[in-house]
Amino acid sequence: MSIIEAQAPLHEAHRDNHTHRDVNGGWLRPAVFGAMDGLVSNLALMTGVAGGAVSTQTVVITGLAGLAAGAFSMAAGEYTSVASQRELVEAELDVERRQLRKHPIDEMEELAALYVSRGVEPELAREVAMQLSKDPEQALEIHAREELGIDPDDLPSPTVAAVSSFASFALGALLPVLPFLLGATALWPAVLLALVGLFACGALVARVTARGWLFSGMRQLVLGGAAAAVTYGLGMLLGAAL
C-alpha cells in the first residue's frame, strides 16, 4: 500500500506534464510554410526585377502580380491535390465497406490476426475483434485506421486547404510590396521588412520542430536573403545585357 501511495504522485506528475508537440503541424505548419513561400518567392521576384534598374512602378506592379498569380496558383494546386487525395481515400473506404458487408467473418478474422501480430493473445484478440465488428461503422473506422492509416471522420477539406493556402501565401507575398504601397521609393525598406518576416516565419516553424527558434529564424533569413541576392544579381546582369 505504501508503494502505491509513493508512486501515485509520480503518476499524477507524469500525467500532468506528459505532453507532445503537434507532429502533424495542425493549422500552424501549412499557414507558416505558405506565408514563407509567398514571402521568399515574391521577394526574389521583386529584387530580380529591381536589379534590372526599372522604375519603382514596375517593381510594385511585379510584386502585386506575383502576389495574385502565386496565391491563385497555390490555392488551385492545393485544392486539386487535397481533393484527389480525399477521393482516393473515399474510394478505398468504399472498398473496405463492401468487404465488411460481403465478408464480415473474414474481415473480423483479419482484424484479430492484426492484433495477434502486435502481441495480443489470440483468444483475446478474437474477442476484441468480435466486439468491435458488431457496429458496422465502428468496424469500418477500425479497419481504416489499422489497414489504411486514416481516420474516416477527419478527412481534409479541399476548400479549407485552398482558402488557407491562398490567404497565407498572399499575406507573405504582401510584405515586400507593403513599403512601396506606403510610399517607399527605394528597395531597401521592402528587403528589410521581408527579412524580418523571414526570421519571424522561421522562428514560428520551431514550434513544430525540435530546433530552437533562433536557429530556425536565422536559417530562414539566410536562405531567403540568399535567394533575393541571387535574383538581384541576375536582374542586374540581364538588365545590362538587354
Side-chain angles (χ1 to χ4, degrees):
M1 183 68 177
S2 59
I3 296 176
I4 296 175
E5 291 174 351
Q7 289 181 340
L10 294 177
H11 292 315
E12 290 294 329
H14 179 77
R15 185 186 64 188
D16 293 340
N17 298 323
H18 188 69
T19 58
H20 294 283
R21 293 182 180 90
D22 180 4
V23 295
N24 292 321
W27 63 269
L28 180 63
R29 183 180 182 279
V32 171
F33 279 94
M36 197 180 295
D37 189 15
L39 182 50
V40 173
S41 61
N42 216 30
L43 174 63
L45 177 63
M46 292 174 64
T47 53
V49 171
V54 299
S55 66
T56 300
Q57 183 182 19
T58 301
V59 175
V60 174
I61 292 174
T62 300
L64 292 174
L67 185 158
F72 280 112
S73 176
M74 286 285 290
E78 195 71 17
Y79 183 91
T80 302
S81 174
V82 174
S84 299
Q85 179 186 6
R86 185 182 179 110
E87 289 164 1
L88 175 60
V89 169
E90 289 175 342
E92 291 301 315
L93 287 175
D94 285 339
V95 170
E96 192 64 36
R97 189 178 285 108
R98 287 195 298 271
Q99 290 300 313
L100 285 168
R101 186 171 59 252
K102 293 180 180 179
H103 310 288
I105 302 300
D106 291 341
E107 290 297 310
M108 184 191 69
E109 294 294 342
E110 181 181 328
L111 189 60
L114 179 64
Y115 290 140
V116 170
S117 70
R118 295 185 176 181
V120 180
E121 292 292 333
E123 186 176 341
L124 178 59
R126 196 168 190 282
E127 184 178 346
V128 170
M130 289 179 60
Q131 290 292 326
L132 294 176
S133 300
K134 288 181 178 179
D135 182 352
E137 288 304 312
Q138 179 176 253
L140 176 63
E141 181 179 338
I142 296 296
H143 279 272
R145 288 178 183 273
E146 298 293 347
E147 297 179 28
L148 304 176
I150 59 173
D151 183 354
D153 297 325
D154 191 28
L155 298 181
S157 167
T159 302
V160 171
V163 171
S164 61
S165 180
F166 181 95
S168 60
F169 185 96
L171 181 62
L174 179 63
L175 280 185
V177 188
L178 193 58
F180 290 105
L181 297 179
L182 296 177
T185 56
L187 182 63
W188 70 264
V191 173
L192 180 61
L193 181 60
L195 292 178
V196 171
L198 284 169
F199 182 85
C201 285
L204 279 174
V205 170
R207 291 194 58 183
V208 290
T209 66
R211 291 287 186 178
W213 65 270
L214 182 60
F215 174 86
S216 295
M218 289 301 299
R219 178 176 60 184
Q220 195 56 42
L221 188 152
V222 170
L223 292 175
V230 170
T231 53
Y232 184 82
L234 290 174
M236 289 182 64
L237 291 174
L238 292 174
L242 295 178

